[in-house]
Amino acid sequence: QVQLVESGGGLVQPGGSLRLSCAASGIIFSIDRMGWYRQAPGKQRELVATITWGGKTNYVDSVKGRFTISRDAAKNTVYLQMNNLKPEDTAVYYCYCNAVLLGATSFTDYWGQGTQVTGSS
């Protein structure tokens, strides 16, 4: 199994910034990609940003130009720098990892427990 430990959520005023971190641990042979999804009350979970271990990024349109995803491959860690936060960014943010364990034959999706981000004055 892969354990994902998230940190960095909290309450911030509109226009403020937060940085989320997510570290993956376990007997990991290889990671294909990591990223962040979010789920606001009454809404479906949506992709926010992903990054392949080769460095290719993907963002939902609503966060382009404001959020930046990055990774530290040596630490199996992904980061989400969130700038100019808006009230509509309020949600539980979930870390995501697609990895194959040592001895396994296929990649599997893993999820963190979620961290609350609230953009409100």
Side-chain angles (χ1 to χ4, degrees), residues 55-106:
K56 183 177 180 181
T57 59
N58 182 44
Y59 297 91
V60 66
D61 285 346
S62 60
V63 308
K64 287 180 180 177
R66 300 188 296 121
F67 292 9
T68 302
I69 191 169
S70 60
R71 88 276 187 256
D72 183 334
K75 296 181 179 180
N76 286 346
T77 298
V78 65
Y79 306 95
L80 185 68
Q81 178 66 44
M82 303 184 291
N83 297 329
N84 190 21
L85 278 160
K86 302 177 179 180
E88 52 264 41
D89 295 318
T90 296
V92 177
Y93 284 68
Y94 295 92
C95 179
Y96 157 80
C97 176
N98 182 256
V100 60
L101 301 180
L102 188 66
T105 58
S106 62

Side-chain angles (χ1 to χ4, degrees), residues 10-18 82-87 118-121:
L11 174 66
V12 63
Q13 291 188 343
S17 298
L18 282 176
M82 303 184 291
N83 297 329
N84 190 21
L85 278 160
K86 302 177 179 180
T118 302
S120 173
S121 56

